Amino acid sequence: MYIIAICEDDPIFLNALKPIIESRLRKLNTEYILDCFEDGESLVSEVVNSDVRYDAIFFDIALSGMSGIEAAKKIREVDESSLFIFITSLNDKVYQVFQFDTFHFIRKSYFEKEIKPVLDLLMKRLNRDCERFNFRTENGEITLRLNEIVYFERENRNVIVHTKNHSYIITNRSIKDLRLELGDKGFFEIYRGTLVNLSYGRYIKDSAFVLTTGKKLPISRRKLPEFKEIFFDNLQKV
């Protein structure tokens, strides 16, 4: 089940967007919850003060009161993995949204043209990223969505899974197991014992993979040519 939110204070535009999203989800036989908010304050309150975590959020940038950009900033402080899609008639504001690992944006003046391809990309991304994996750690079981995992690394005899804000030592997987399990899900072993989520890649510089988190991971010289090809091919798909 996907949990999606729309934050839009224009009722006419909201009444146009909501049924399009619902229709696309029904065609995919997908279970979903779709919550609508008329202002940024109520959306932020729902996320910050409850256990709700949205898989995707559609924001109007020019909300009355708290702007969509301000709301996104507050939500990103507590939710590192939700996909953000910004809706705007202010083309000069578009560049500001990319500070939040933004998935996409839609211009209101081109809404009919842009909404369907963006929804298709969103569904592909959600189908891939929202798959959940259970790991046994020294402190008990944890469940992580695929898009929460930045990379795995082997350290001595341990395997560590890194998210943006946490690291866990897992005891029920080896790097070999993970490579076989996740190799077709956007992960690549760039160095012996280092398995990285390509979605968190920013760029390749020399023999290092620079992540959106700022972390730099070494790339094996032997694997560098293959990895460059796979990484740039992945950029075209997301």
Side-chain angles (χ1 to χ4, degrees), residues 178-189:
L178 292 165
R179 185 174 64 243
L180 294 173
E181 190 173 1
L182 302 176
D184 62 347
K185 300 181 186 295
F187 282 75
F188 189 89
E189 189 176 17

Side-chain angles (χ1 to χ4, degrees), residues 207-230:
S207 295
F209 191 38
V210 182
L211 307 181
T212 57
T213 61
K215 180 77 174 181
K216 295 181 180 179
L217 299 174
I219 307 169
S220 163
R221 288 186 180 182
R222 179 176 61 84
K223 295 187 176 183
L224 184 58
E226 178 189 5
F227 179 61
K228 281 184 176 180
E229 183 177 346
I230 290 174

Side-chain angles (χ1 to χ4, degrees), residues 56-208:
I57 304 175
F58 291 79
F59 297 91
D60 188 341
I61 289 181
L63 295 168
S64 57
M66 180 185 291
S67 72
I69 291 175
E70 292 171 328
K73 183 177 181 180
K74 291 182 179 297
I75 290 171
R76 191 54 91 209
E77 291 174 357
V78 297
D79 185 350
E80 62 188 45
S81 59
S82 178
L83 299 178
F84 290 171
I85 302 96
F86 288 90
I87 305 165
T88 181
S89 56
L90 308 172
N91 292 342
D92 61 329
K93 299 288 186 181
V94 166
Y95 73 93
Q96 296 183 27
V97 308
F98 292 102
Q99 64 183 295
F100 307 113
D101 295 333
T102 297
F103 176 72
H104 227 294
F105 67 90
I106 298 170
R107 295 168 294 179
K108 285 190 175 181
S109 54
Y110 295 92
F111 173 74
E112 294 293 337
K113 179 180 179 180
E114 295 180 350
I115 181 60
K116 290 183 179 178
V118 168
L119 281 175
D120 286 345
L121 287 173
L122 176 62
M123 291 303 106
K124 288 179 181 178
R125 182 70 173 266
L126 287 176
N127 287 338
R128 185 189 75 183
D129 288 355
C130 291
E131 188 173 355
R132 287 165 168 80
F133 291 83
N134 295 319
F135 299 103
R136 188 167 61 246
T137 77
E138 296 178 329
N139 298 313
E141 295 277 342
I142 60 169
T143 300
L144 297 175
R145 291 188 300 191
L146 199 65
N147 63 348
E148 292 180 284
I149 301 168
V150 181
Y151 70 101
F152 299 91
E153 69 172 335
R154 184 173 54 229
E155 187 175 281
N156 299 321
R157 295 185 177 182
N158 296 319
V159 174
I160 304 172
V161 55
H162 298 273
T163 68
K164 282 186 178 180
N165 298 320
H166 302 284
S167 297
Y168 307 91
I169 296 176
I170 61 176
T171 59
N172 62 333
R173 301 284 210 296
S174 67
I175 288 293
K176 181 180 178 180
D177 293 335
L178 292 165
R179 185 174 64 243
L180 294 173
E181 190 173 1
L182 302 176
D184 62 347
K185 300 181 186 295
F187 282 75
F188 189 89
E189 189 176 17
I190 59 174
Y191 204 89
R192 188 174 181 181
T194 303
L195 188 68
V196 66
N197 187 342
L198 299 180
S199 297
Y200 282 96
R202 178 170 287 167
Y203 56 84
I204 297 171
K205 183 176 182 180
D206 300 325
S207 295

Side-chain angles (χ1 to χ4, degrees), residues 40-53:
E41 289 86 351
S42 57
L43 170 60
V44 170
S45 177
E46 176 70 11
V47 173
V48 172
N49 298 318
S50 75
D51 294 329
V52 173
R53 291 295 178 264

